[in-house]
Amino acid sequence: MTQPTPSSSLNARRRRRTARDIQNATLGLALAHGFGHVTTGMIADAAGVSLRTFFNYFPNKEAALAGEPLRFKNFDFSWFRASRQPLLPDLERLLGEIVADAGIDRERLCRIEELCRTDTNLQAVFANSLQGLVDQLADLLVARMGEDARQTAELVAALVGRALANAYRASVHDDEPTSDVVVRLTIRQIHAVGALLHPVDGDERG
Amino acid sequence: MTQPTPSSSLNARRRRRTARDIQNATLGLALAHGFGHVTTGMIADAAGVSLRTFFNYFPNKEAALAGEPLRFKNFDFSWFRASRQPLLPDLERLLGEIVADAGIDRERLCRIEELCRTDTNLQAVFANSLQGLVDQLADLLVARMGEDARQTAELVAALVGRALANAYRASVHDDEPTSDVVVRLTIRQIHAVGALLHPVDGDERG
DNA sequence: CATGGAATTGCATAGTGTGCAAGTTTTGCG
DNA sequence: CGCAAAACTTGCACACTATGCAATTCCATG
């Protein structure tokens, strides 16, 4: 399992640190001047790297704002693909593993939440930063439900991605947000959407 | 009803024509060379306008590819806001009015469909071009369901937007696609998502 | 300590996007 | 008609975005 460049090597740690430095610089500058008035040059200076190095880390300033994107690691999700249980509980477990693994950085989430409150466009930026995760989830769902259901799988994956982004933002109102809180908030939103689309019995009005 | 610049004035007709010319030029160049290799300068030349004029019509080449975005006009949708019937039938009627009003240009849809097939990234581009409609729909849904349900409303609106984009693409497989076809395809997808989130009785496995 | 690979950087260059001012065309009205 | 206001097009200048390449430095490994 020893990788060519172990994730604990000096190189790897510095890379993570630089990526964080760049993201923090971006968040700070965006809060101070408004994201639209922040240039890649300003970010590079504030992070202490050259402009060229900035682009070695992120393809554009939007990506720098969102930081290293959430992704499925090499976990074993065959149980999810094989399961025929109702989707939502399985999804809850799946998200639980990913979100817990990524950890919660409340400081950063607070800054992100404030940015989203002051600039509506940034909500989409952060939601889009989950696109990689959404694509991977769509693949998992297709493996679970069959190729015929690809369209539905992609819609559900996109829905989960947006709900997850909302949940991260909402979790900052908790004093000590945990991955459980984020996942619960996510599932709750998805459930509300489902109730709206398929009203049954005591569900709210459409 | 006489507007300051009626939609039938010379200016207005020329503006629509130029916008269409630019979009058609963009679609043609993207099909010929791949969207990533198309520059705004190439588009402007092919459309017979200056680069500066290109940017007077569209903020970037992605917008030029999608053309004039679908939008709610000044129709009266108070019936939708006030209704407490199940959501999907109301939504079907609402979408029917918008899609019928915009009309279906099968030629253009075919080119878009081909582009999406050859370049996965463009699916997101076209889906994003419905963002204005999605925002307006979210507002309508909030007016209907109450401010407390804003998060759910936004999720549903985003879901509808993606389903609608899928439906437009799928409608080209119909010889003579109508707005009814597009709306039906849209609703069917949304229904499938709802069934997946709230499995009842005979619904498919999760 | 030597060597290969990764990271940083500067430089050159192509493309993106906006503000402004000048010039033209269209519109609306007396 | 004829004229003034409004709308549209364009060129130009400028700042910013993004990538490829080559030189250099720094880390990893034997």
Side-chain angles (χ1 to χ4, degrees):
Chain A
M1 259 312 170
T2 310
Q3 296 168 18
T5 44
S7 67
S8 58
S9 75
L10 220 184
N11 261 344
R13 269 181 295 133
R14 292 224 295 198
R15 175 156 268 273
R16 276 197 298 274
R17 186 170 64 78
T18 303
R20 270 206 318 275
D21 288 349
I22 293 177
Q23 184 188 12
N24 286 334
T26 310
L27 289 169
L29 288 167
L31 282 168
H33 308 123
F35 185 63
H37 295 129
V38 176
T39 71
T40 50
M42 290 162 65
I43 298 171
D45 283 350
V49 297
S50 74
L51 180 60
R52 192 59 185 81
T53 297
F54 171 89
F55 282 110
N56 284 344
Y57 278 81
F58 298 102
N60 49 55
K61 57 181 184 169
E62 283 77 15
L65 201 65
E68 291 293 334
L70 220 56
R71 284 196 174 279
F72 289 130
K73 303 291 169 57
N74 293 325
F75 294 154
D76 177 23
F77 290 126
S78 48
W79 65 268
F80 182 87
R81 283 193 288 267
S83 168
R84 315 229 153 175
Q85 298 300 113
L87 179 61
L88 284 192
D90 281 357
L91 199 55
E92 184 165 1
R93 179 175 157 200
L94 185 73
L95 290 178
E97 300 190 23
I98 301 159
V99 173
D101 177 68
I104 307 255
D105 182 340
R106 191 169 186 277
E107 286 303 310
R108 207 182 312 173
L109 285 181
C110 280
R111 304 171 85 182
I112 289 175
E113 160 63 12
E114 185 173 346
L115 276 172
C116 285
R117 242 183 304 125
T118 55
D119 184 345
T120 309
N121 300 325
L122 294 185
Q123 293 182 26
V125 170
F126 286 110
N128 282 342
S129 77
L130 297 179
Q131 190 57 45
L133 194 71
V134 168
D135 290 342
Q136 292 177 291
L137 176 57
D139 285 345
L140 268 181
L141 286 169
V142 168
R144 177 190 174 111
M145 306 189 301
E147 185 63 38
D148 289 347
R150 172 170 291 279
Q151 232 179 13
T152 306
E154 289 174 352
L155 286 178
V156 170
L159 177 67
V160 171
R162 285 194 163 260
L164 184 59
N166 286 344
Y168 268 114
R169 287 189 52 209
S171 74
V172 306
H173 300 125
D174 197 309
D175 279 342
E176 191 68 45
T178 64
S179 61
D180 273 356
V181 169
V182 172
V183 172
R184 243 194 313 273
L185 288 171
T186 308
I187 296 295
R188 182 180 305 169
Q189 289 175 79
I190 298 172
H191 194 276
V193 171
L196 206 53
L197 301 182
H198 262 201
V200 201
D201 298 327
D203 283 338
E204 303 206 3
R205 62 188 155 90
Chain B
M1 256 317 172
T2 311
Q3 297 169 18
T5 43
S7 67
S8 59
S9 77
L10 220 187
N11 265 342
R13 269 182 295 133
R14 293 223 293 203
R15 177 157 268 272
R16 278 196 297 274
R17 187 171 63 78
T18 304
R20 270 206 316 278
D21 289 348
I22 294 177
Q23 185 188 11
N24 286 334
T26 309
L27 289 169
L29 289 167
L31 282 169
H33 309 121
F35 185 65
H37 295 129
V38 176
T39 71
T40 50
M42 290 162 64
I43 298 171
D45 284 349
V49 297
S50 74
L51 180 60
R52 193 61 187 78
T53 296
F54 171 88
F55 283 111
N56 284 345
Y57 278 82
F58 298 102
N60 49 56
K61 57 180 184 170
E62 282 78 15
L65 200 64
E68 291 293 334
L70 221 54
R71 285 196 174 280
F72 288 130
K73 302 292 168 56
N74 294 326
F75 295 153
D76 176 22
F77 291 127
S78 48
W79 64 267
F80 182 86
R81 282 192 289 267
S83 167
R84 313 229 155 176
Q85 299 299 113
L87 179 61
L88 283 192
D90 282 357
L91 198 55
E92 185 164 1
R93 179 176 156 200
L94 185 74
L95 289 177
E97 299 190 23
I98 301 159
V99 174
D101 177 68
I104 307 252
D105 182 340
R106 189 167 187 279
E107 286 303 309
R108 207 182 310 173
L109 285 180
C110 281
R111 303 171 86 183
I112 289 175
E113 160 63 13
E114 184 173 348
L115 276 172
C116 285
R117 242 182 305 123
T118 54
D119 184 345
T120 310
N121 300 324
L122 294 184
Q123 293 182 26
V125 170
F126 286 110
N128 283 342
S129 77
L130 297 178
Q131 191 55 46
L133 193 73
V134 167
D135 290 342
Q136 290 177 292
L137 177 57
D139 285 345
L140 268 182
L141 286 169
V142 168
R144 177 190 174 110
M145 305 190 300
E147 183 64 37
D148 289 347
R150 171 170 291 278
Q151 229 177 18
T152 306
E154 289 175 351
L155 287 178
V156 170
L159 177 66
V160 172
R162 285 193 164 259
L164 184 59
N166 286 343
Y168 269 113
R169 286 188 53 208
S171 75
V172 306
H173 300 126
D174 197 308
D175 277 343
E176 191 69 42
T178 66
S179 61
D180 274 356
V181 169
V182 172
V183 172
R184 242 195 312 277
L185 288 171
T186 307
I187 296 294
R188 181 180 305 171
Q189 289 176 78
I190 298 172
H191 194 275
V193 170
L196 206 53
L197 301 182
H198 263 200
V200 200
D201 298 330
D203 282 340
E204 304 208 359
R205 62 189 155 90

